[in-house]
């Protein structure tokens, strides 16, 4: 990891506040940890790699798909001003909101919804980060990305995916309507 802003964010955000209390002693171990609803908080190296690929700048509007416990949203908040994060499990939405509040990231907007739909009402976004493996990037997420924007997502089977970065270069679908 060579991005100074990403490294600084990792030093500032207290990961232990986003880990289930029974796993706090493993907060900084480099492997995923359970957070409830059969979901995990990703291992630190994966999160750092994704954030570095995303190339977030301070003035970017960012949408995260897969809030989990809120940790990645807190890191994104350290990198930019506007962060919207979508989580399908209501229990995790509540946990993430509480974790973010406790850690001082009350400006992050946590939305309960289907990540495949994104959060169009606040788009377009300069950056979109998908934190869960998918076979392909949903068109609705591509539509919510601004021209010149980047989207980072793990694509492929859950335990054999590749980290992919997409850059939107035009609104082709709108030009042909």
């Amino acid at each position: 990891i060579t991005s100074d802003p990403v490294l600084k964010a990792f030093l500032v955000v207290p990961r232990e506040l986003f880990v289930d209390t029974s796993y706090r002693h493993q907060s900084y171990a480099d492997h995923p940890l359970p957070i409830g609803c059969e979901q995990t908080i990703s291992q630190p190296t994966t999160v750092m790699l994704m954030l570095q690929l995303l190339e977030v700048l301070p003035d970017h509007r960012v949408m995260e798909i897969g809030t989990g416990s809120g940790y990645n949203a807190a890191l994104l908040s350290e990198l930019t001003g506007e962060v919207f994060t979508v989580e399908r499990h209501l229990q995790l939405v509540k946990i993430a909101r509480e974790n973010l509040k406790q850690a001082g990231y009350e400006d992050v907007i946590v939305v309960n919804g289907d990540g495949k739909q994104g959060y169009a009402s606040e788009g377009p976004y300069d950056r979109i980060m998908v934190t869960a493996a998918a076979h392909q990037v949903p068109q609705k997420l591509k539509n919510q990305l601004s021209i010149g924007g980047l989207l980072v997502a793990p694509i492929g089977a859950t335990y054999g995916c590749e980290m992919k970065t997409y850059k939107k270069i035009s609104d082709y679908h709108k030009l042909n309507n």
Side-chain angles (χ1 to χ4, degrees):
I1 305 299
T2 58
S3 167
D4 284 340
V6 170
L7 290 170
K8 285 178 187 172
F10 267 82
L11 292 173
V12 171
V13 177
R15 183 174 166 90
E16 62 275 9
L17 295 182
F18 297 89
V19 173
D20 186 273
T21 54
S22 59
Y23 293 97
R24 289 255 162 99
H25 64 286
Q26 296 182 53
S27 293
Y28 295 92
D30 198 28
H31 56 79
L33 296 170
I35 56 170
C37 300
E38 298 182 9
Q39 304 298 305
T40 60
I41 182 173
S42 297
Q43 65 190 58
T45 52
T46 299
V47 176
M48 290 171 79
L49 172 65
M50 290 182 76
L51 287 171
Q52 183 167 290
L53 290 171
L54 203 59
E55 300 176 9
V56 177
L57 296 175
D59 63 339
H60 283 160
R61 302 182 86 239
V62 178
M63 177 172 59
E64 174 193 35
I65 303 300
T67 311
S69 66
Y71 178 63
N72 193 59
L75 292 166
L76 286 166
S77 184
E78 283 293 327
L79 297 170
T80 192
E82 288 188 272
V83 178
F84 301 87
T85 181
V86 180
E87 174 56 55
R88 66 186 172 127
H89 298 286
L90 184 57
Q91 180 183 344
L92 291 178
V93 168
K94 293 174 183 176
I95 289 169
R97 285 179 179 154
E98 184 56 37
N99 290 345
L100 287 160
K101 181 179 178 182
Q102 187 178 2
Y105 297 97
E106 296 182 57
D107 291 344
V108 173
I109 306 299
V110 182
V111 178
N112 182 215
D114 179 353
K116 293 175 186 156
Q117 304 299 314
Y119 191 52
S121 65
E122 291 295 331
Y125 301 95
D126 301 299
R127 299 290 186 265
I128 297 176
M129 180 184 237
V130 180
T131 63
H135 292 291
Q136 63 185 23
V137 176
Q139 186 62 46
K140 287 189 177 187
L141 295 185
K142 293 176 185 177
N143 294 349
Q144 292 172 45
L145 192 61
S146 62
I147 295 175
L150 296 178
L151 183 149
V152 173
I155 301 298
T158 304
Y159 295 105
C161 55
E162 290 183 69
M163 203 60 67
K164 301 248 183 170
T165 303
Y166 300 85
K167 182 173 186 174
K168 186 169 186 176
I169 58 171
S170 73
D171 261 337
Y172 179 78
H173 71 283
K174 289 184 180 177
L175 295 174
N176 291 319
N177 286 343

